[in-house]
Amino acid sequence: MDKQTFTEMLQSKFKIVRTEAGYTQDSMSQTIGLSKKTLVQIEKERILPNWTTCISLCALFRDSEVLTNSFGGDPLELAQVISRGHCVYPNYEGEAVYWEDLDRKNGFRLQYNKSNRIYRVLNSMNQPVHASYIEREIRTYFMRQTDLQPV
């Protein structure tokens, strides 16, 4: 797949991704960093999004089922391969200094980042599955995940 095909596919999915995420045009345009007028033009397929907008959509909505199903996997991974010719997977071993474990249960870990003040939940494979600035939200998510898991 080349940049042109990728961009055209994203253009046709913009509105579906927005509605899948439950965003209004106003909130989507703020999230992506576009004017509402430009977003409307993209959604009506009158203009193609630029490459930066495509990367923003893939990065901010990489959990989108619409994008995952359209591209057969992680849209950001594909964008990186298209743009750079290869994909680099970051090594996060050094980040352990910043994260404090708050709770562990059934293979899940609840963590707090001392530097940027976000909370996250890691699954049993040490992969982040949810993050938030709101402690109550992340603790609720953690409890729901860990209460579902067999002990």
Side-chain angles (χ1 to χ4, degrees):
M1 180 176 294
D2 62 6
K3 278 187 180 182
Q4 182 71 26
T5 305
F6 185 77
T7 301
E8 289 170 358
M9 283 185 69
L10 280 177
Q11 177 194 44
S12 70
K13 304 297 180 193
F14 244 86
K15 184 174 182 177
I16 301 166
V17 170
R18 176 177 63 78
T19 55
E20 173 190 42
Y23 280 53
T24 64
Q25 287 179 330
D26 287 327
S27 60
M28 183 68 151
S29 62
Q30 285 183 330
T31 300
I32 297 291
L34 298 172
S35 70
K36 183 178 175 183
K37 180 180 177 182
T38 300
L39 176 66
V40 170
Q41 295 297 319
I42 292 169
E43 287 187 354
K44 290 184 176 183
E45 298 186 25
R46 292 182 182 152
I47 63 170
L48 278 173
N50 65 33
W51 187 247
T52 304
T53 300
C54 290
I55 299 304
S56 294
L57 183 70
C58 291
L60 295 169
F61 296 93
R62 75 187 300 178
D63 62 333
S64 164
E65 287 185 32
V66 170
L67 293 180
T68 300
N69 292 336
S70 296
F71 296 115
D74 182 356
L76 195 54
E77 179 181 49
L78 177 58
Q80 193 175 53
V81 171
I82 291 169
S83 186
R84 298 174 70 182
H86 64 281
C87 187
V88 178
Y89 299 94
N91 179 352
Y92 291 118
E93 290 176 23
E95 78 172 4
V97 171
Y98 303 105
W99 291 96
E100 174 185 347
D101 279 354
L102 300 177
D103 202 351
R104 290 175 180 253
K105 186 176 177 186
N106 296 338
F108 285 83
R109 293 187 314 167
L110 173 63
Q111 294 184 321
Y112 175 71
N113 188 297
K114 297 174 268 187
S115 180
N116 61 34
R117 300 182 181 144
I118 66 168
Y119 297 88
R120 73 179 180 184
V121 173
L122 303 175
N123 66 16
S124 60
M125 297 184 319
N126 210 35
Q127 296 172 318
V129 291
H130 193 71
S132 175
Y133 280 110
I134 304 168
E135 183 178 4
R136 184 181 60 197
E137 176 186 321
I138 203 73
R139 285 192 181 276
T140 299
Y141 181 86
F142 179 77
M143 294 303 290
R144 286 184 180 150
Q145 295 306 305
T146 57
D147 287 344
L148 294 174
Q149 301 299 316
V151 178

